[in-house]
Amino acid sequence: MMSATSTLALTHFVTLADSFDKDKVTPGVLGFIVFAVIGGAVWLLMKSMNKQMKKVDFEEQPEDGDAGTTVSAATQAPKPKTS
């Protein structure tokens, strides 16, 4: 059962919603803030990813079939970096 206060509040919001032109509704300030926060989070994640990718020391080793023509993988494997 609805109280008189909730009924009054509901009718107030319905009339307020009807006064807007539904073809001209924009996201407003809240939409901009959400978009800016998501953009900032993506920028920080990309910055962190670039930092982590620069730490990777990847050197491709030959496949098993090519081991006879080059130095064995055990002798040419780089030593792991310790920081």
Side-chain angles (χ1 to χ4, degrees):
M1 184 169 189
M2 295 180 75
S3 68
T5 309
S6 62
T7 306
L8 181 61
L10 189 61
T11 56
H12 178 69
F13 285 131
V14 170
T15 58
L16 183 63
D18 287 339
S19 66
F20 287 117
D21 184 9
K22 294 179 181 170
D23 294 331
K24 294 183 181 180
V25 174
T26 61
V29 177
L30 180 63
F32 174 75
I33 291 171
V34 169
F35 187 77
V37 167
I38 291 172
V42 168
W43 180 75
L44 288 172
L45 286 170
M46 295 279 291
K47 188 174 176 181
S48 175
M49 182 186 69
N50 282 335
K51 185 178 175 183
Q52 296 299 320
M53 291 299 284
K54 286 179 183 178
K55 291 181 181 179
V56 174
D57 184 26
F58 177 74
E59 187 173 319
E60 190 171 339
Q61 296 181 2
E63 295 179 11
D64 293 338
D66 296 337
T69 60
T70 60
V71 181
S72 69
T75 59
Q76 105 181 33
K79 295 182 179 176
K81 291 183 179 180
T82 56
S83 327

